[in-house]
Amino acid sequence: MDTAPAPTDSLVHEYRRALAEQSDRHAVQLESILAVLRSRRLDDATARATAVDVASGALVTLRSTAEARVGNMLEPVVGAFALLRDDLRPLIRFGQLDVEFVEPPPTGRALPEVVAHEARAIVRNAVLGLLDRGDARRVRIHWDCDGRNLLMGIRDDGSGDRDVHDDGLRPIAERVSALHGTFLVDATRGWGSNLAITLPLDPPTPELGLDADVALTRRERDVLALVAAGRRNGEIAEQLSISANTVKFHVANLLRKVGAANRAELAALAGGAAGRS
């Protein structure tokens, strides 16, 4: 009797990532509703009506965002940041934390979907952590893009006793590590902490076990890494911000240089080399 194939590691990872993001968003929305109900600026009737509005808006946003993302591989950096701001708006409006957002430049490179998701999850985790600690009143959230990386800064005015090994920062450290990024914590006691996070926008280039006389350019290695990951030419073009014809040119050069007969053999060679590295 035929049995269904076991899920691949990538599918399991994608499922876990989506589940984690959904949990993060639900946590922020529940905290927002609680902040409304606890607010001393609202009477009971207004608080109940506002809480219903927040909950209804959250449901609409979740559904429309899920529909809009189907088939999308990239998110403009300003759009990804706007979604984050929308996620946190009710919590900021009625909570006790004053949040300043520093917009990324509109000309910044579009973010791969997984980077945009994880970046928002990192900020939500950081804000929820600050609420749990209760020692900060202000936080500044800053995104920037240098063309190869998403640069994130989260600065608070708390007690300034945090470091990268804190249990409360472990979920952030794990997310950053999974994307091959860097995570630094700069804290000064009595002055607050700054989380500096760098997330690469391109997958790491595998070290290929090719003959010494095979010379590949950096762009060819970028294309080869994406071919090995199973990406189509159109997807590679979007991710590397080049034309589909340029991708075809690089793939043809790779087939010739590596000595592969076809695209599948090229991907197998690159994947096998990456596995041995």
Side-chain angles (χ1 to χ4, degrees), residues 84-139:
L84 168 68
R85 194 171 55 242
D86 289 344
D87 284 348
L88 296 176
R89 182 176 288 119
L91 185 59
I92 295 166
R93 181 181 177 188
F94 299 104
Q96 302 301 314
L97 196 61
D98 181 16
V99 180
E100 176 190 1
F101 292 99
V102 180
E103 298 270 352
T107 55
R109 177 179 163 187
L111 307 180
E113 192 177 29
V114 65
V115 174
H117 288 179
E118 293 301 289
R120 287 191 292 267
I122 285 168
V123 176
R124 290 194 298 262
N125 276 331
V127 171
L128 289 172
L130 290 173
L131 290 171
D132 287 341
R133 287 171 62 92
D135 62 349
R137 291 293 173 265
R138 300 183 65 186
V139 61

Short mmCIF file of all heavy atoms in Angstrom, two decimals, residues 84-139:
data_model
loop_
_atom_site.label_atom_id
_atom_site.label_comp_id
_atom_site.label_asym_id
_atom_site.label_seq_id
_atom_site.Cartn_x
_atom_site.Cartn_y
_atom_site.Cartn_z
N LEU A 84 4.27 46.07 10.18
CA LEU A 84 4.72 45.99 11.57
C LEU A 84 4.09 47.10 12.40
O LEU A 84 3.57 46.86 13.50
CB LEU A 84 6.24 46.09 11.63
CG LEU A 84 6.84 46.30 13.02
CD1 LEU A 84 6.64 45.06 13.88
CD2 LEU A 84 8.32 46.66 12.92
N ARG A 85 4.10 48.31 11.87
CA ARG A 85 3.52 49.44 12.59
C ARG A 85 2.02 49.22 12.84
O ARG A 85 1.50 49.53 13.91
CB ARG A 85 3.76 50.73 11.81
CG ARG A 85 3.50 52.00 12.59
CD ARG A 85 3.97 53.22 11.83
NE ARG A 85 3.36 53.30 10.52
CZ ARG A 85 4.03 53.28 9.38
NH1 ARG A 85 5.36 53.18 9.39
NH2 ARG A 85 3.41 53.35 8.22
N ASP A 86 1.33 48.68 11.83
CA ASP A 86 -0.09 48.40 11.98
C ASP A 86 -0.33 47.34 13.06
O ASP A 86 -1.30 47.42 13.83
CB ASP A 86 -0.70 47.93 10.66
CG ASP A 86 -0.79 49.06 9.63
OD1 ASP A 86 -0.68 50.23 10.04
OD2 ASP A 86 -0.96 48.76 8.44
N ASP A 87 0.53 46.31 13.10
CA ASP A 87 0.41 45.28 14.12
C ASP A 87 0.47 45.86 15.53
O ASP A 87 -0.27 45.44 16.43
CB ASP A 87 1.55 44.25 13.98
CG ASP A 87 1.34 43.29 12.83
OD1 ASP A 87 0.23 43.26 12.27
OD2 ASP A 87 2.29 42.57 12.49
N LEU A 88 1.37 46.82 15.71
CA LEU A 88 1.64 47.34 17.05
C LEU A 88 0.80 48.55 17.42
O LEU A 88 0.79 48.96 18.59
CB LEU A 88 3.12 47.71 17.18
CG LEU A 88 4.12 46.55 17.06
CD1 LEU A 88 5.55 47.08 17.11
CD2 LEU A 88 3.91 45.52 18.17
N ARG A 89 0.09 49.14 16.45
CA ARG A 89 -0.62 50.40 16.69
C ARG A 89 -1.59 50.34 17.88
O ARG A 89 -1.55 51.22 18.75
CB ARG A 89 -1.35 50.87 15.43
CG ARG A 89 -2.07 52.21 15.63
CD ARG A 89 -2.70 52.70 14.34
NE ARG A 89 -1.69 53.17 13.42
CZ ARG A 89 -1.48 52.66 12.22
NH1 ARG A 89 -2.20 51.61 11.82
NH2 ARG A 89 -0.56 53.15 11.42
N PRO A 90 -2.49 49.34 17.97
CA PRO A 90 -3.42 49.34 19.11
C PRO A 90 -2.69 49.20 20.46
O PRO A 90 -3.08 49.83 21.45
CB PRO A 90 -4.30 48.11 18.84
CG PRO A 90 -4.17 47.86 17.38
CD PRO A 90 -2.77 48.24 17.03
N LEU A 91 -1.65 48.38 20.48
CA LEU A 91 -0.89 48.19 21.72
C LEU A 91 -0.22 49.49 22.14
O LEU A 91 -0.18 49.84 23.32
CB LEU A 91 0.15 47.09 21.52
CG LEU A 91 0.97 46.68 22.73
CD1 LEU A 91 0.07 46.19 23.84
CD2 LEU A 91 1.98 45.61 22.35
N ILE A 92 0.30 50.23 21.17
CA ILE A 92 0.97 51.50 21.46
C ILE A 92 -0.03 52.55 21.91
O ILE A 92 0.20 53.33 22.83
CB ILE A 92 1.74 51.97 20.22
CG1 ILE A 92 2.88 50.99 19.91
CG2 ILE A 92 2.29 53.38 20.40
CD1 ILE A 92 3.47 51.18 18.54
N ARG A 93 -1.19 52.57 21.25
CA ARG A 93 -2.18 53.61 21.53
C ARG A 93 -2.71 53.51 22.96
O ARG A 93 -2.91 54.53 23.61
CB ARG A 93 -3.33 53.49 20.53
CG ARG A 93 -4.41 54.54 20.72
CD ARG A 93 -5.52 54.36 19.71
NE ARG A 93 -6.59 55.32 19.92
CZ ARG A 93 -7.76 55.29 19.28
NH1 ARG A 93 -7.99 54.35 18.36
NH2 ARG A 93 -8.69 56.19 19.53
N PHE A 94 -2.93 52.30 23.44
CA PHE A 94 -3.55 52.14 24.74
C PHE A 94 -2.61 51.58 25.80
O PHE A 94 -2.99 51.47 26.97
CB PHE A 94 -4.79 51.24 24.62
CG PHE A 94 -5.84 51.79 23.71
CD1 PHE A 94 -6.01 51.28 22.43
CD2 PHE A 94 -6.64 52.84 24.11
CE1 PHE A 94 -6.98 51.79 21.58
CE2 PHE A 94 -7.62 53.36 23.27
CZ PHE A 94 -7.78 52.83 21.99
N GLY A 95 -1.41 51.19 25.43
CA GLY A 95 -0.47 50.64 26.40
C GLY A 95 0.35 51.72 27.09
O GLY A 95 0.15 52.92 26.91
N GLN A 96 1.34 51.26 27.86
CA GLN A 96 2.17 52.16 28.65
C GLN A 96 3.54 52.39 28.02
O GLN A 96 4.41 53.00 28.64
CB GLN A 96 2.35 51.58 30.05
CG GLN A 96 1.05 51.33 30.80
CD GLN A 96 0.24 52.62 30.96
OE1 GLN A 96 0.78 53.65 31.34
NE2 GLN A 96 -1.05 52.54 30.65
N LEU A 97 3.75 51.89 26.79
CA LEU A 97 5.04 51.98 26.14
C LEU A 97 4.97 52.98 24.99
O LEU A 97 4.12 52.87 24.11
CB LEU A 97 5.46 50.60 25.61
CG LEU A 97 6.93 50.40 25.23
CD1 LEU A 97 7.84 50.60 26.43
CD2 LEU A 97 7.12 49.00 24.66
N ASP A 98 5.84 54.00 25.03
CA ASP A 98 5.90 55.00 23.98
C ASP A 98 6.87 54.51 22.90
O ASP A 98 8.07 54.36 23.16
CB ASP A 98 6.38 56.33 24.57
CG ASP A 98 6.45 57.43 23.53
OD1 ASP A 98 5.85 57.26 22.44
OD2 ASP A 98 7.10 58.46 23.80
N VAL A 99 6.36 54.25 21.70
CA VAL A 99 7.17 53.66 20.64
C VAL A 99 7.39 54.69 19.52
O VAL A 99 6.44 55.30 19.03
CB VAL A 99 6.51 52.40 20.05
CG1 VAL A 99 7.38 51.81 18.95
CG2 VAL A 99 6.27 51.37 21.16
N GLU A 100 8.65 54.85 19.14
CA GLU A 100 9.02 55.71 18.01
C GLU A 100 9.47 54.82 16.86
O GLU A 100 10.33 53.96 17.02
CB GLU A 100 10.15 56.67 18.40
CG GLU A 100 10.65 57.52 17.23
CD GLU A 100 11.91 58.29 17.56
OE1 GLU A 100 12.42 58.15 18.68
OE2 GLU A 100 12.39 59.03 16.67
N PHE A 101 8.88 55.02 15.68
CA PHE A 101 9.24 54.27 14.49
C PHE A 101 10.11 55.13 13.57
O PHE A 101 9.74 56.27 13.27
CB PHE A 101 8.00 53.82 13.72
CG PHE A 101 7.16 52.81 14.44
CD1 PHE A 101 6.03 53.18 15.14
CD2 PHE A 101 7.51 51.47 14.40
CE1 PHE A 101 5.26 52.24 15.80
CE2 PHE A 101 6.74 50.52 15.05
CZ PHE A 101 5.61 50.91 15.76
N VAL A 102 11.24 54.61 13.14
CA VAL A 102 12.10 55.29 12.17
C VAL A 102 12.00 54.53 10.86
O VAL A 102 12.49 53.40 10.75
CB VAL A 102 13.56 55.38 12.66
CG1 VAL A 102 14.42 56.10 11.63
CG2 VAL A 102 13.63 56.07 14.01
N GLU A 103 11.36 55.16 9.87
CA GLU A 103 11.06 54.49 8.60
C GLU A 103 12.32 54.12 7.83
O GLU A 103 13.31 54.86 7.82
CB GLU A 103 10.22 55.42 7.73
CG GLU A 103 8.87 55.80 8.31
CD GLU A 103 7.80 54.82 7.91
OE1 GLU A 103 8.08 53.96 7.05
OE2 GLU A 103 6.68 54.92 8.44
N PRO A 104 12.32 52.97 7.16
CA PRO A 104 13.42 52.64 6.24
C PRO A 104 13.31 53.51 4.99
O PRO A 104 12.23 54.03 4.68
CB PRO A 104 13.18 51.17 5.92
CG PRO A 104 11.69 51.00 6.09
CD PRO A 104 11.29 51.92 7.21
N PRO A 105 14.39 53.67 4.25
CA PRO A 105 14.32 54.48 3.02
C PRO A 105 13.43 53.81 1.98
O PRO A 105 13.47 52.59 1.82
CB PRO A 105 15.78 54.53 2.55
CG PRO A 105 16.42 53.33 3.16
CD PRO A 105 15.74 53.13 4.48
N PRO A 106 12.61 54.59 1.28
CA PRO A 106 11.70 53.99 0.29
C PRO A 106 12.44 53.34 -0.87
O PRO A 106 11.86 52.52 -1.59
CB PRO A 106 10.87 55.19 -0.19
CG PRO A 106 11.69 56.40 0.12
CD PRO A 106 12.46 56.06 1.36
N THR A 107 13.70 53.69 -1.07
CA THR A 107 14.47 53.10 -2.16
C THR A 107 15.17 51.81 -1.75
O THR A 107 15.90 51.22 -2.55
CB THR A 107 15.54 54.10 -2.64
OG1 THR A 107 16.35 54.49 -1.52
CG2 THR A 107 14.90 55.33 -3.25
N GLY A 108 14.96 51.38 -0.51
CA GLY A 108 15.60 50.16 -0.04
C GLY A 108 15.15 48.94 -0.82
O GLY A 108 14.04 48.88 -1.34
N ARG A 109 16.04 47.97 -0.91
CA ARG A 109 15.76 46.74 -1.66
C ARG A 109 14.58 45.99 -1.05
O ARG A 109 14.41 45.95 0.18
CB ARG A 109 17.01 45.87 -1.65
CG ARG A 109 16.84 44.53 -2.32
CD ARG A 109 18.15 43.77 -2.28
NE ARG A 109 17.94 42.36 -2.54
CZ ARG A 109 18.88 41.44 -2.43
NH1 ARG A 109 20.10 41.78 -2.09
NH2 ARG A 109 18.62 40.17 -2.70
N ALA A 110 13.75 45.38 -1.89
CA ALA A 110 12.63 44.57 -1.40
C ALA A 110 13.15 43.39 -0.60
O ALA A 110 14.23 42.85 -0.88
CB ALA A 110 11.79 44.09 -2.58
N LEU A 111 12.36 42.98 0.41
CA LEU A 111 12.78 41.91 1.30
C LEU A 111 12.20 40.58 0.86
O LEU A 111 11.01 40.49 0.52
CB LEU A 111 12.30 42.20 2.72
CG LEU A 111 12.65 43.56 3.32
CD1 LEU A 111 12.08 43.65 4.74
CD2 LEU A 111 14.14 43.79 3.32
N PRO A 112 13.00 39.51 0.87
CA PRO A 112 12.41 38.18 0.69
C PRO A 112 11.35 37.95 1.76
O PRO A 112 11.48 38.43 2.90
CB PRO A 112 13.62 37.25 0.90
CG PRO A 112 14.80 38.08 0.56
CD PRO A 112 14.47 39.47 1.02
N GLU A 113 10.30 37.24 1.41
CA GLU A 113 9.16 37.10 2.30
C GLU A 113 9.55 36.56 3.67
O GLU A 113 9.09 37.06 4.69
CB GLU A 113 8.12 36.18 1.65
CG GLU A 113 6.78 36.17 2.35
CD GLU A 113 5.77 35.30 1.62
OE1 GLU A 113 6.19 34.33 0.97
OE2 GLU A 113 4.57 35.60 1.70
N VAL A 114 10.45 35.57 3.71
CA VAL A 114 10.82 34.99 4.99
C VAL A 114 11.56 36.01 5.85
O VAL A 114 11.38 36.05 7.08
CB VAL A 114 11.68 33.71 4.79
CG1 VAL A 114 13.02 34.04 4.14
CG2 VAL A 114 11.89 33.00 6.12
N VAL A 115 12.37 36.89 5.24
CA VAL A 115 13.08 37.91 6.01
C VAL A 115 12.09 38.92 6.57
O VAL A 115 12.19 39.33 7.74
CB VAL A 115 14.14 38.61 5.14
CG1 VAL A 115 14.79 39.78 5.88
CG2 VAL A 115 15.21 37.61 4.70
N ALA A 116 11.12 39.34 5.75
CA ALA A 116 10.11 40.29 6.23
C ALA A 116 9.32 39.71 7.39
O ALA A 116 9.08 40.39 8.40
CB ALA A 116 9.18 40.67 5.08
N HIS A 117 8.91 38.45 7.28
CA HIS A 117 8.16 37.79 8.36
C HIS A 117 8.98 37.75 9.64
O HIS A 117 8.49 38.09 10.73
CB HIS A 117 7.82 36.35 7.95
CG HIS A 117 6.75 36.28 6.89
ND1 HIS A 117 6.30 35.08 6.37
CD2 HIS A 117 6.03 37.23 6.27
CE1 HIS A 117 5.36 35.32 5.46
NE2 HIS A 117 5.19 36.60 5.38
N GLU A 118 10.22 37.28 9.52
CA GLU A 118 11.05 37.12 10.71
C GLU A 118 11.40 38.46 11.33
O GLU A 118 11.50 38.58 12.56
CB GLU A 118 12.32 36.34 10.37
CG GLU A 118 12.07 34.89 9.97
CD GLU A 118 11.36 34.12 11.08
OE1 GLU A 118 11.99 33.83 12.11
OE2 GLU A 118 10.17 33.81 10.91
N ALA A 119 11.62 39.49 10.51
CA ALA A 119 11.94 40.82 11.04
C ALA A 119 10.79 41.35 11.88
O ALA A 119 11.00 41.90 12.97
CB ALA A 119 12.26 41.77 9.89
N ARG A 120 9.57 41.20 11.39
CA ARG A 120 8.42 41.66 12.17
C ARG A 120 8.27 40.84 13.45
O ARG A 120 7.96 41.39 14.53
CB ARG A 120 7.14 41.56 11.32
CG ARG A 120 7.06 42.63 10.24
CD ARG A 120 5.66 42.66 9.62
NE ARG A 120 5.38 41.47 8.84
CZ ARG A 120 5.59 41.36 7.53
NH1 ARG A 120 6.12 42.37 6.86
NH2 ARG A 120 5.28 40.26 6.89
N ALA A 121 8.49 39.54 13.36
CA ALA A 121 8.40 38.69 14.55
C ALA A 121 9.44 39.09 15.59
O ALA A 121 9.16 39.08 16.79
CB ALA A 121 8.57 37.22 14.16
N ILE A 122 10.64 39.44 15.15
CA ILE A 122 11.69 39.85 16.07
C ILE A 122 11.27 41.10 16.83
O ILE A 122 11.42 41.20 18.06
CB ILE A 122 13.00 40.09 15.29
CG1 ILE A 122 13.62 38.74 14.91
CG2 ILE A 122 14.00 40.91 16.10
CD1 ILE A 122 14.74 38.86 13.89
N VAL A 123 10.73 42.09 16.12
CA VAL A 123 10.31 43.33 16.79
C VAL A 123 9.15 43.06 17.74
O VAL A 123 9.12 43.59 18.86
CB VAL A 123 9.94 44.39 15.74
CG1 VAL A 123 9.41 45.64 16.43
CG2 VAL A 123 11.16 44.75 14.89
N ARG A 124 8.18 42.26 17.30
CA ARG A 124 7.06 41.96 18.20
C ARG A 124 7.55 41.27 19.47
O ARG A 124 7.10 41.60 20.59
CB ARG A 124 6.04 41.07 17.47
CG ARG A 124 5.27 41.79 16.38
CD ARG A 124 4.06 40.97 15.94
NE ARG A 124 4.44 39.69 15.37
CZ ARG A 124 4.55 39.44 14.07
NH1 ARG A 124 4.35 40.41 13.19
NH2 ARG A 124 4.87 38.25 13.63
N ASN A 125 8.47 40.31 19.33
CA ASN A 125 9.02 39.64 20.51
C ASN A 125 9.72 40.62 21.42
O ASN A 125 9.61 40.55 22.65
CB ASN A 125 10.03 38.56 20.07
CG ASN A 125 9.35 37.25 19.72
OD1 ASN A 125 8.30 36.93 20.25
ND2 ASN A 125 9.95 36.49 18.83
N ALA A 126 10.46 41.56 20.84
CA ALA A 126 11.18 42.54 21.64
C ALA A 126 10.21 43.44 22.41
O ALA A 126 10.41 43.71 23.60
CB ALA A 126 12.10 43.38 20.75
N VAL A 127 9.16 43.90 21.74
CA VAL A 127 8.18 44.78 22.40
C VAL A 127 7.43 44.04 23.49
O VAL A 127 7.25 44.56 24.60
CB VAL A 127 7.21 45.36 21.35
CG1 VAL A 127 6.06 46.09 22.03
CG2 VAL A 127 7.96 46.31 20.42
N LEU A 128 7.01 42.80 23.21
CA LEU A 128 6.32 42.02 24.24
C LEU A 128 7.25 41.75 25.43
O LEU A 128 6.82 41.76 26.58
CB LEU A 128 5.82 40.70 23.64
CG LEU A 128 4.64 40.82 22.67
CD1 LEU A 128 4.37 39.48 22.01
CD2 LEU A 128 3.39 41.32 23.38
N GLY A 129 8.53 41.51 25.15
CA GLY A 129 9.49 41.31 26.23
C GLY A 129 9.63 42.54 27.10
O GLY A 129 9.73 42.44 28.33
N LEU A 130 9.64 43.72 26.48
CA LEU A 130 9.73 44.96 27.25
C LEU A 130 8.49 45.15 28.12
O LEU A 130 8.58 45.62 29.27
CB LEU A 130 9.91 46.15 26.31
CG LEU A 130 11.26 46.25 25.60
CD1 LEU A 130 11.24 47.37 24.57
CD2 LEU A 130 12.38 46.48 26.61
N LEU A 131 7.33 44.80 27.58
CA LEU A 131 6.10 44.90 28.37
C LEU A 131 6.14 43.95 29.56
O LEU A 131 5.72 44.31 30.67
CB LEU A 131 4.89 44.60 27.50
CG LEU A 131 4.54 45.66 26.45
CD1 LEU A 131 3.47 45.14 25.50
CD2 LEU A 131 4.08 46.94 27.12
N ASP A 132 6.64 42.74 29.36
CA ASP A 132 6.74 41.78 30.45
C ASP A 132 7.69 42.27 31.54
O ASP A 132 7.41 42.12 32.74
CB ASP A 132 7.22 40.42 29.93
CG ASP A 132 6.14 39.69 29.14
OD1 ASP A 132 4.96 40.05 29.29
OD2 ASP A 132 6.49 38.78 28.36
N ARG A 133 8.82 42.86 31.14
CA ARG A 133 9.79 43.34 32.12
C ARG A 133 9.27 44.56 32.87
O ARG A 133 9.51 44.71 34.07
CB ARG A 133 11.11 43.70 31.41
CG ARG A 133 11.91 42.49 30.95
CD ARG A 133 13.07 42.92 30.08
NE ARG A 133 14.02 43.77 30.81
CZ ARG A 133 15.08 43.31 31.46
NH1 ARG A 133 15.34 42.01 31.48
NH2 ARG A 133 15.90 44.14 32.08
N GLY A 134 8.58 45.43 32.16
CA GLY A 134 7.98 46.59 32.79
C GLY A 134 8.95 47.66 33.25
O GLY A 134 8.56 48.53 34.04
N ASP A 135 10.21 47.63 32.77
CA ASP A 135 11.19 48.62 33.24
C ASP A 135 11.50 49.67 32.19
O ASP A 135 12.39 50.51 32.39
CB ASP A 135 12.49 47.92 33.67
CG ASP A 135 13.16 47.18 32.52
OD1 ASP A 135 12.53 47.04 31.46
OD2 ASP A 135 14.32 46.76 32.69
N ALA A 136 10.79 49.67 31.06
CA ALA A 136 11.04 50.64 30.00
C ALA A 136 9.76 51.42 29.73
O ALA A 136 8.65 50.90 29.84
CB ALA A 136 11.52 49.95 28.72
N ARG A 137 9.95 52.68 29.37
CA ARG A 137 8.81 53.53 29.02
C ARG A 137 8.85 53.96 27.56
O ARG A 137 7.83 54.33 27.00
CB ARG A 137 8.79 54.77 29.92
CG ARG A 137 8.44 54.46 31.37
CD ARG A 137 7.01 53.97 31.50
NE ARG A 137 6.69 53.51 32.85
CZ ARG A 137 6.74 52.26 33.24
NH1 ARG A 137 7.12 51.31 32.37
NH2 ARG A 137 6.44 51.91 34.47
N ARG A 138 10.04 53.92 26.97
CA ARG A 138 10.17 54.35 25.57
C ARG A 138 11.01 53.33 24.80
O ARG A 138 11.94 52.74 25.35
CB ARG A 138 10.82 55.73 25.49
CG ARG A 138 10.07 56.83 26.20
CD ARG A 138 10.75 58.17 26.00
NE ARG A 138 10.72 58.57 24.59
CZ ARG A 138 11.34 59.65 24.12
NH1 ARG A 138 12.06 60.41 24.93
NH2 ARG A 138 11.25 59.95 22.84
N VAL A 139 10.68 53.15 23.53
CA VAL A 139 11.46 52.27 22.66
C VAL A 139 11.49 52.89 21.26
O VAL A 139 10.51 53.46 20.79
CB VAL A 139 10.90 50.84 22.63
CG1 VAL A 139 9.48 50.82 22.08
CG2 VAL A 139 11.78 49.92 21.80
#
